Amino acid sequence: MGAGKTTIGRLISQSMDKDFYDLDKVIEDNAGADIPWIFEREGEDGFRKRETQALASVAQSDKGDSVLATGGGIVMREENRDILRENALVVYLYASVAQQLYRTSKSNHRPLLQTGDPKATLKKLFEVRDPLYREVATLVIETDSRHPRSVANKVLDAIKRHLKEETTTS
Ligand SMILES: Nc1ncnc2c1ncn2[C@@H]1O[C@H](COP(=O)(O)OP(=O)(O)OP(=O)(O)O)[C@@H](O)[C@H]1O
Ligand SMILES: O=C(O)C1=C[C@@H](O)[C@@H](O)[C@H](O)C1
Ligand SMILES: [Mg+2]
């Protein structure tokens, strides 16, 4: 959470002239309700079911030619990791817990952080999720000491390099 998926995803979709989807927004549009409401009424489990459905439907309808920003917990389900691996070039935006805490502190829109100790929550989630993100990622990009535009440029360069390597080795 707060790694910059939504911010950077939008920037790189503009630079690449591709459509942009934010999975949290797709889930909200499908539900006709916002994420805090879904967590309150259906719990995290209900939210995760909606998240998998939304991911599967975007993967199926999209021809792999758009940019998708996921929610922070997308890697928790094996099914989601399989969908990502099979359909996408996955970029893991790495942010330290300190940066995640700073970047999420201005919003109260993330139900999992509405606790007495958001830093401890972020740390626990990071320990579980960081290895899963690394398992599924094609590219890992460090974001801590960079402005969003500079992170986006780094992602664009890394994607170009990756695609070039792929064509020269195939
Ligand atoms: N590289 C960066 N440096 C400083 N601030 C950033 C950076 N990237 C994003 N931000 C800011 O951090 C906040 C959270 O970013 P954003 O919503 O894009 O994160 P996210 O990864 O999509 O989070 P979530 O997992 O909750 O969807 C925003 O206010 C954004 O402007
Ligand atoms: O990290 C998470 O588990 C979440 C991140 C957000 O993007 C939303 O998907 C939701 O608040 C859960
Ligand atoms: Mg987001």
Side-chain angles (χ1 to χ4, degrees):
M1 276 179 269
K5 299 177 292 300
T6 300
T7 309
I8 308 303
R10 185 172 289 114
L11 284 174
I12 70 168
S13 72
Q14 288 161 356
S15 297
M16 296 171 98
D17 199 19
K18 289 182 184 295
D19 289 337
F20 173 67
Y21 299 97
D22 189 286
L23 203 64
D24 285 337
K25 172 86 170 46
V26 174
I27 295 164
E28 291 186 329
D29 289 348
N30 289 347
D34 67 9
I35 290 177
W37 187 95
I38 298 170
F39 267 76
E40 205 179 297
R41 299 293 175 100
E42 302 177 0
E44 181 170 353
D45 231 45
F47 175 78
R48 296 293 169 211
K49 283 191 189 115
R50 289 182 179 274
E51 186 176 45
T52 298
Q53 275 165 8
L55 178 65
S57 77
V58 171
Q60 207 174 34
S61 63
D62 186 72
K63 300 287 170 274
D65 203 29
S66 62
V67 177
L68 172 70
T70 68
I74 198 74
V75 291
M76 298 304 290
R77 284 188 163 194
E78 189 177 3
E79 198 180 346
N80 298 351
R81 299 200 294 278
D82 289 343
I83 295 173
L84 289 173
R85 253 194 302 262
E86 283 160 23
N87 293 280
L89 187 160
V90 180
V91 181
Y92 170 29
L93 297 176
Y94 167 89
S96 65
V97 170
Q99 271 299 308
Q100 292 172 42
L101 185 67
Y102 172 72
R103 293 179 195 166
T104 54
S105 60
K106 293 159 225 155
S107 152
N108 59 3
H109 205 72
R110 296 172 176 91
L112 293 176
L113 297 184
Q114 303 311 302
T115 67
D117 193 349
K119 186 176 179 189
T121 305
L122 284 169
K123 187 166 180 290
K124 248 191 253 159
L125 292 177
F126 177 81
E127 278 160 10
V128 175
R129 293 175 178 183
D130 177 72
L132 298 175
Y133 271 111
R134 288 179 191 278
E135 182 195 307
V136 87
T138 317
L139 303 167
V140 180
I141 303 292
E142 141 83 45
T143 74
D144 262 14
S145 50
R146 288 171 182 274
H147 186 270
R149 184 70 258 173
S150 151
V151 175
N153 288 340
K154 209 173 156 199
V155 173
L156 290 164
D157 285 349
I159 291 174
K160 273 187 214 141
R161 230 177 303 123
H162 174 79
L163 295 178
K164 207 165 155 192
E165 275 166 25
E166 249 187 0
T167 27
T168 51
T169 54
S170 64

mmCIF file of all heavy atoms in Angstrom, residues 3 5 49 73 81-82 142 169-170:
data_model
loop_
_atom_site.group_PDB
_atom_site.id
_atom_site.type_symbol
_atom_site.label_atom_id
_atom_site.label_comp_id
_atom_site.label_asym_id
_atom_site.label_seq_id
_atom_site.Cartn_x
_atom_site.Cartn_y
_atom_site.Cartn_z
ATOM 1 N N ALA A 3 2.795 2.169 -2.427
ATOM 2 C CA ALA A 3 4.021 2.026 -3.237
ATOM 3 C C ALA A 3 3.972 2.939 -4.463
ATOM 4 O O ALA A 3 5.009 3.272 -5.032
ATOM 5 C CB ALA A 3 4.197 0.573 -3.680
ATOM 6 N N LYS A 5 1.347 2.391 -7.071
ATOM 7 C CA LYS A 5 0.807 1.649 -8.228
ATOM 8 C C LYS A 5 -0.156 2.511 -9.057
ATOM 9 O O LYS A 5 -0.061 2.571 -10.281
ATOM 10 C CB LYS A 5 0.108 0.368 -7.760
ATOM 11 C CG LYS A 5 1.045 -0.586 -7.025
ATOM 12 C CD LYS A 5 0.332 -1.811 -6.498
ATOM 13 C CE LYS A 5 -0.663 -1.532 -5.379
ATOM 14 N NZ LYS A 5 -0.076 -0.921 -4.166
ATOM 15 N N LYS A 49 -12.780 -11.832 -2.845
ATOM 16 C CA LYS A 49 -13.533 -12.539 -3.892
ATOM 17 C C LYS A 49 -13.807 -11.591 -5.050
ATOM 18 O O LYS A 49 -13.616 -11.919 -6.222
ATOM 19 C CB LYS A 49 -14.860 -13.081 -3.338
ATOM 20 C CG LYS A 49 -14.650 -14.337 -2.516
ATOM 21 C CD LYS A 49 -15.964 -15.031 -2.188
ATOM 22 C CE LYS A 49 -15.699 -16.135 -1.178
ATOM 23 N NZ LYS A 49 -16.345 -15.893 0.136
ATOM 24 N N GLY A 73 -3.008 -5.943 -2.086
ATOM 25 C CA GLY A 73 -3.090 -7.330 -1.605
ATOM 26 C C GLY A 73 -3.271 -8.353 -2.715
ATOM 27 O O GLY A 73 -3.538 -9.533 -2.435
ATOM 28 N N ARG A 81 -1.971 -14.658 -8.532
ATOM 29 C CA ARG A 81 -0.573 -14.665 -8.996
ATOM 30 C C ARG A 81 -0.478 -15.394 -10.339
ATOM 31 O O ARG A 81 0.238 -14.965 -11.233
ATOM 32 C CB ARG A 81 0.345 -15.315 -7.949
ATOM 33 C CG ARG A 81 0.344 -14.589 -6.606
ATOM 34 C CD ARG A 81 1.569 -14.938 -5.774
ATOM 35 N NE ARG A 81 1.629 -16.317 -5.329
ATOM 36 C CZ ARG A 81 0.998 -16.821 -4.264
ATOM 37 N NH1 ARG A 81 0.222 -16.037 -3.519
ATOM 38 N NH2 ARG A 81 1.122 -18.084 -3.917
ATOM 39 N N ASP A 82 -1.234 -16.492 -10.481
ATOM 40 C CA ASP A 82 -1.222 -17.235 -11.747
ATOM 41 C C ASP A 82 -1.758 -16.357 -12.885
ATOM 42 O O ASP A 82 -1.179 -16.320 -13.970
ATOM 43 C CB ASP A 82 -2.075 -18.510 -11.638
ATOM 44 C CG ASP A 82 -1.402 -19.554 -10.755
ATOM 45 O OD1 ASP A 82 -0.180 -19.426 -10.514
ATOM 46 O OD2 ASP A 82 -2.092 -20.481 -10.292
ATOM 47 N N GLU A 142 12.752 0.096 -7.522
ATOM 48 C CA GLU A 142 12.849 0.734 -6.202
ATOM 49 C C GLU A 142 12.274 2.165 -6.305
ATOM 50 O O GLU A 142 12.576 2.882 -7.264
ATOM 51 C CB GLU A 142 14.332 0.674 -5.820
ATOM 52 C CG GLU A 142 14.928 1.841 -5.120
ATOM 53 C CD GLU A 142 14.650 1.752 -3.650
ATOM 54 O OE1 GLU A 142 14.814 0.664 -3.084
ATOM 55 O OE2 GLU A 142 14.240 2.785 -3.080
ATOM 56 N N THR A 169 16.926 -12.514 -27.607
ATOM 57 C CA THR A 169 17.198 -13.887 -27.153
ATOM 58 C C THR A 169 16.220 -14.907 -27.734
ATOM 59 O O THR A 169 16.383 -16.092 -27.547
ATOM 60 C CB THR A 169 17.176 -14.002 -25.606
ATOM 61 O OG1 THR A 169 15.937 -13.485 -25.131
ATOM 62 C CG2 THR A 169 18.333 -13.270 -24.971
ATOM 63 N N SER A 170 15.165 -14.432 -28.440
ATOM 64 C CA SER A 170 14.207 -15.409 -28.987
ATOM 65 C C SER A 170 14.449 -15.655 -30.471
ATOM 66 O O SER A 170 15.175 -14.979 -31.126
ATOM 67 C CB SER A 170 12.768 -14.949 -28.748
ATOM 68 O OG SER A 170 12.528 -13.765 -29.455
#
